[in-house]
Amino acid sequence: MSKSISSTNVQQGMHNPFEFSDEHILDDVYRTHFHCLEKCDVTSLHTVASTVIKCSIEITDKVIKKGGQISERFREETSIASQQLTAKLKRIAYLMLCTPRGEHHAHRTTMLILEQLRHYSWDAKALIVQAAFALEYGKFVYLCPLVTGESLLQVERSLADLNGLVLVQHNTQQHLTYFSSVVKKVMQVIDCITEWKRLISARYDIKDVPALAETLHEIPVVVYWAIFTFVTCTGQIDEFTDYKVHRHELPKTFENKLDLILRNFKERLELCSREIGRIDDYTRRRSIVVHTGKDIVKVLKALIISGENRESRQNIYNGFTGEQVKIEEFKKKHVLLFISGVENIEEEAQLLKSISEKLKEKPREVEGYRKEDFKILWIPIVDEWNEKHRKALETHLQRTKIGWYVVKDFSFETGIKLIKEVFNYRDRPIIPLISPEGKVENSDTRQIMSMWGIDGFPFRTSDHNRLTQQWNWFWSEITKLNPRIANLIEEDCYLFIYGGTDQTWIQEFTTAIDTLKRQVETINLPVDITIESYQLGKEDPKVVPRFWIAIDSLLTSRKLQMKGGEGVEADFATSEIRRLLSLKQEPKGWVILSKGYNVKLLGHGEAMCETVKDFAMKWHGKLHEDVSFDVAFKEYYEGIRVKDGSKRCEENVKTYGYPTDIVDRITCPNKDCRRAMEVTSVNYRCCHGHEQ
């Protein structure tokens, strides 16, 4: 075989790649790489070439171990479908065989091969050269008489002679040992390249796998050294078979260089695998939370428990007893997830404490939801747990004596990322509601809890809509009278709306409300309170009858809706309309207390006025973090009603537009007439509480 390449190449400068930096090699190699236009079946190619080389290595190892006394031989029949690729492999193999000895010559041939393979992907470049090496290495091992004895067939001797393969025995075994070691290491490099290809082909976003992005800068250098090694090793084959060749042994730095490449690239691939593993784990957990949970326990496990630390379930504590509990505690329960930091959460903590206590009182059922089936789980999230954060957490637990659960030292990165994405957590407290089936029924229950309290139970998004719609009829009519009311509602302040026919009471209540506004600003109260008021008809007395006519008409329309099969909202609205119309008959006046859209109390004028007057002297001390203004107000008001014995049944006047609403027919008392009378109103009075 020829041992030279073109004179043009010989005259080029001498380059030793062992003296190059990785940046130098990357720059040289990348200039040979173009878009991957040409394709080849790299998987089949790798399988075929690896089979040949690995079987050849096994034969070589046995020759080294047995000293040449082998009676059997491995044989593998392989084929490559593409004749065009086979021709390319033979040309590359010939080019490698014709490379003169020396690192600078091997470098030049490596660059020529890379130029020829410029339109192939990085892994294909390495695998094509691997296959070309397998052609020569397999031929050498299978045809060269590495073994002796009668078992060597004459046809095998003849094939070896025709190929000019005669094993030279002087110092061959030591040289063959080192050669085989280098081939094994470059095969490990090839395995790393195929693993890299598998990872890069998995279509993960490079932004999500930073380590994979780094490999894009490393793979050209790794491929270069793999090809360089195959070129050098191919040239070594002739030295085992031609005693005339001047022996040029592989440099001892070869293994060191390959070891360095393997160590660094394997570490990078392991990092890629870990990052991809985290992505796969996140995707799996997100699917459980968003789509396939079917079970609250599975959803909580996906959020809280890391795959590496199954014992993290022991970080869930009962906030009242301090005892650790298992996550199965929440099985078949509705869970209110309190997600927050550990600082500046006093308002939310008190809100949840109040809700927690109310859930224990008078168990009731709303549309199949039972209060005892609801549990609160606090997941505090901080950047990094330290003594300050742990102390703040313990302070909250001790101060509030909460009857709910808490996840301590929560630092599971995947869980935190899930919470931020799925529940849109942005460092501000949220309280999503999750059903026993793992479905998010309300992404944040804070609004309904703040506005409606326990009346918002079971705190679904639909409950907020339902409660708001129950009073839509009232707000729709009252805001028509004065647009300012709409602004006061949106400010979520305490709003007193009042009216009546007794001007003395009107003046008295107006003065009491003005005094109350000053008192809440001057008295040091444990909670912030804003009081506003609106007197019906103050600016324009004509709006008063207009308002009551509208409310009276609403009652008729509600009755028709109920007959038409309208739901709970219509029934509730009808009841409240009747209550409001009954207050209209109060001799002193009437008062409605609301907080935002939430109507807290419909009250009788005299008792309401006394309650407002007594705030500073008698009941403002009842206000604290657990008792809001409206709760304390209502308790005192009810006490006055009971004490004065004025808590009697209501008296209503209903006006109807349809005579058929009245069952009994009434005739005119005039004897000369006796015609049916037209019904214009009906007066209802309960005798309970009235003197007979």
Side-chain angles (χ1 to χ4, degrees), residues 91-150:
R91 287 196 302 270
I92 292 174
Y94 181 76
L95 182 59
M96 292 192 293
L97 281 172
C98 293
T99 301
R101 305 298 170 261
E103 290 77 18
H104 51 287
H105 294 297
H107 168 70
R108 188 181 300 115
T109 300
T110 300
M111 299 305 296
L112 287 172
I113 292 173
L114 285 169
E115 182 68 28
Q116 291 182 19
L117 301 177
R118 61 186 177 277
H119 292 303
Y120 286 92
S121 62
W122 290 111
D123 64 309
K125 296 177 198 288
L127 295 177
I128 288 172
V129 178
Q130 177 203 28
F133 170 75
L135 285 176
E136 297 304 320
Y137 188 34
K139 187 191 301 181
F140 161 69
V141 171
Y142 279 84
L143 297 181
C144 182
L146 290 176
V147 297
T148 59
E150 296 300 327

Side-chain angles (χ1 to χ4, degrees), residues 275-392:
E275 291 178 351
I276 289 174
R278 283 195 290 269
I279 293 174
D280 291 342
D281 183 53
Y282 177 83
T283 303
R284 179 186 63 82
R285 291 172 181 270
R286 188 183 186 284
S287 178
I288 292 174
V289 174
V290 177
H291 301 295
T292 63
K294 307 298 184 184
D295 183 351
I296 183 64
V297 173
K298 290 182 179 179
V299 170
L300 293 179
K301 284 181 178 180
L303 289 174
I304 298 172
I305 300 179
S306 66
E308 295 79 16
N309 183 17
R310 293 295 178 182
E311 295 301 318
S312 60
R313 69 183 64 193
Q314 298 304 319
N315 284 345
I316 303 176
Y317 290 77
N318 184 307
F320 186 75
T321 65
E323 296 178 350
Q324 293 179 337
V325 298
K326 292 184 177 181
I327 202 167
E328 285 73 18
E329 185 91 3
F330 302 95
K331 191 171 184 63
K332 297 183 179 180
K333 301 295 181 182
H334 298 267
V335 177
L336 289 160
L337 278 183
F338 178 33
I339 304 169
S340 72
V342 294
E343 298 175 342
N344 303 319
I345 58 168
E346 288 75 13
E347 182 179 343
E348 289 79 8
Q350 290 303 325
L351 174 63
L352 277 176
K353 182 182 179 183
S354 173
I355 293 296
S356 177
E357 292 173 349
K358 296 293 184 181
L359 287 173
K360 299 173 185 176
E361 298 175 358
K362 298 179 181 179
R364 63 189 179 93
E365 186 172 312
V366 176
E367 297 182 19
Y369 292 81
R370 298 184 306 171
K371 290 199 293 185
E372 58 264 33
D373 290 337
F374 280 66
K375 290 184 179 293
I376 302 171
L377 175 62
W378 182 17
I379 305 180
I381 297 176
V382 298
D383 293 334
E384 183 177 355
W385 283 98
N386 53 37
E387 287 305 314
K388 177 184 176 182
H389 293 139
R390 292 186 179 91
K391 185 176 180 181

